[in-house]
Structures are given as structure tokens and as C-alpha cells.
Amino acid sequence: EPPAQPRVRGPPIVPGPAVHMEDKPGPRAHAVHMPPAAIPGRDMEVSVHEVPRALQRELQHVFPMVDVTLALPTNQRARLDLVGVGDDVEAEKDRLLNNFFAFARECCEELREKGHWADYIDPCSGLAMLTPDANKVYSEVLGMELLLSYRTMNAGFCKVLLHPSWGSSVYPASVFTNAPVELTLEVVRRFMATDAADESAPARAATEAPPEPVEAAEPGAAGGA
């Protein structure tokens, strides 16, 4: 076998204008309204995509009677290789699941409060969490292939996602909506800004000067003799 090529880590990706990626399979491009961007303090990346035609066919079965227009794939960096087995791997999956649920619930609640449909996938079952009568399993690996062109590998009978920087130490999970693009971007960026503020608070507190000490009054000094 030829020697493995070293992985080159690129610069951080930040939100920008919509670009286009090729569907895989198929020649049609889809708009990427926000490329993968890190959520501070969570080891999570999120991006915002127009749903490509190949994925629309899949989502028609997952979310019947709903016209899904935007996909928000997330990928979390795992502390362990999730291809492995054992109690430590299961505990790590639970941690990542709860982290995703916290993000997905908040996004969907805000979009729904503004009158739009939104739902997220349970990574354990592959089923929709909020849409009634949704019993078709969604493939996160296929979604990441179509939306982000990430590579995969076979591990036994399973297909495993390979993140370009984290390899198989990755936990994919997705949110979907039919909300307008600008509103969706606003919700995601607000979430990212809130997490960034929470992460910087301890560091900011550590650099601030301590308050000046206040001398306590001696007993009996107040009010005179």
C-alpha cells in the first residue's frame, strides 16, 4: 500500500457569503449559507445549507408533509475514537448526545416560536424528535456526505464518517427547518456569540483587578458616643 499522506489542517472557517458545493452523487450544486464554524467551548462545528435535491428525496420520507429547505449539520469532536467499543466510548457518546440536544432544542424552540417548522434528529435512533408520525430513519453519514462532501469508511457492517481534521473521532447530528435563511443564521450566530461570551467570562474575571478592600467600622463608631 502507498504511504499515508499527512493530514494538513487548514485555517479556521468562519461564516461568510453563500458558496456552492457539488452534490454527491449528482452534478447539481447547493448553496452553503454558512460553512462549518466552531461553537466556542463545545468542540462543535455547525453549518447552514440549502437542502440539495438528493437529500430532499430522503427528507420527504423522514419528514412527511413538510417542505424542508435548510439543513444545519453539526459535528462534535469526540475525546475518543467512536469506532471503538466499551463503557468509556458509550459514556462519551452520551456526553456528545446531551451537548447536541441542548443546542438543537434551543435552535428549534426559537425558530418555532417565530412561526416556522424546525426539527432535529435523535442520533441514537435516527428518528425525528418533534414531528409526529415520523418513523423513517435518517442517515447522518449520508447527510454529511451530501452536504459537506466528507469521506467515509467501512467498519464491519457500518459506514463511519471521517471528519477532515478529527477522523473517526466525530459525532454527527443534524437540525432541519423551513425558516428563512437570514433568521436561521441569526439564531445560530446568537447561539455562537452566547457560548463565546460564557467561555470568555472566567478568563476576563481572572484578568480584572480585585476590588479595593473596604475597612470595617469599629464597633460603636457609627452614630457617635
Side-chain angles (χ1 to χ4, degrees):
E1 296 182 358
Q5 296 297 315
R7 180 182 296 133
V8 179
R9 186 186 297 272
I13 303 175
V14 297
V19 296
H20 287 79
M21 296 176 65
E22 295 298 320
D23 295 358
K24 191 173 69 173
R28 180 178 176 271
H30 74 275
V32 181
H33 300 289
M34 189 181 85
I39 298 180
R42 288 181 178 264
D43 280 335
M44 178 189 285
E45 293 178 342
V46 61
S47 50
V48 180
H49 303 246
E50 171 194 280
V51 175
R53 183 177 301 167
L55 192 56
Q56 284 175 346
R57 292 191 291 268
E58 176 80 5
L59 294 178
Q60 285 172 358
H61 299 288
V62 178
F63 302 112
M65 309 302 292
V66 177
D67 182 18
V68 184
T69 56
L70 293 178
L72 287 69
T74 74
N75 286 286
Q76 294 183 73
R77 184 175 188 175
R79 296 168 182 168
L80 301 170
D81 186 345
L82 299 185
V83 176
V85 294
D87 292 342
D88 52 348
V89 173
E90 295 306 312
E92 175 65 355
K93 289 179 180 179
D94 288 343
R95 181 186 72 85
L96 298 167
L97 174 67
N98 292 331
N99 198 31
F100 168 70
F101 276 174
F103 168 80
R105 277 195 297 262
E106 186 169 336
C107 282
C108 289
E109 284 173 4
E110 186 161 351
L111 292 170
R112 282 173 169 255
E113 286 172 1
K114 295 183 182 298
H116 305 285
W117 175 89
D119 202 347
Y120 57 101
I121 301 295
D122 177 359
C124 294
S125 65
L127 298 175
M129 290 293 292
L130 305 176
T131 301
D133 303 322
N135 54 15
K136 174 70 166 65
V137 172
Y138 175 74
S139 170
E140 290 289 356
V141 173
L142 174 63
M144 297 299 168
E145 284 185 289
L146 292 170
L147 295 169
L148 293 164
S149 297
Y150 284 176
R151 296 171 53 205
T152 62
M153 72 175 186
N154 292 322
F157 295 102
C158 299
K159 203 173 184 181
V160 176
L161 186 70
L162 296 176
H163 187 278
S165 297
W166 310 330
S168 56
S169 299
V170 61
Y171 192 84
S174 299
V175 177
F176 297 96
T177 185
N178 61 7
V181 172
E182 288 306 318
L183 174 61
T184 304
L185 291 173
E186 177 185 326
V187 169
V188 172
R189 287 169 177 160
R190 187 182 305 127
F191 194 100
M192 295 168 69
T194 301
D195 272 28
D198 291 344
E199 184 183 40
S200 62
R204 191 166 57 247
T207 59
E208 290 176 352
E212 293 293 329
V214 178
E215 294 185 1
E218 293 183 4

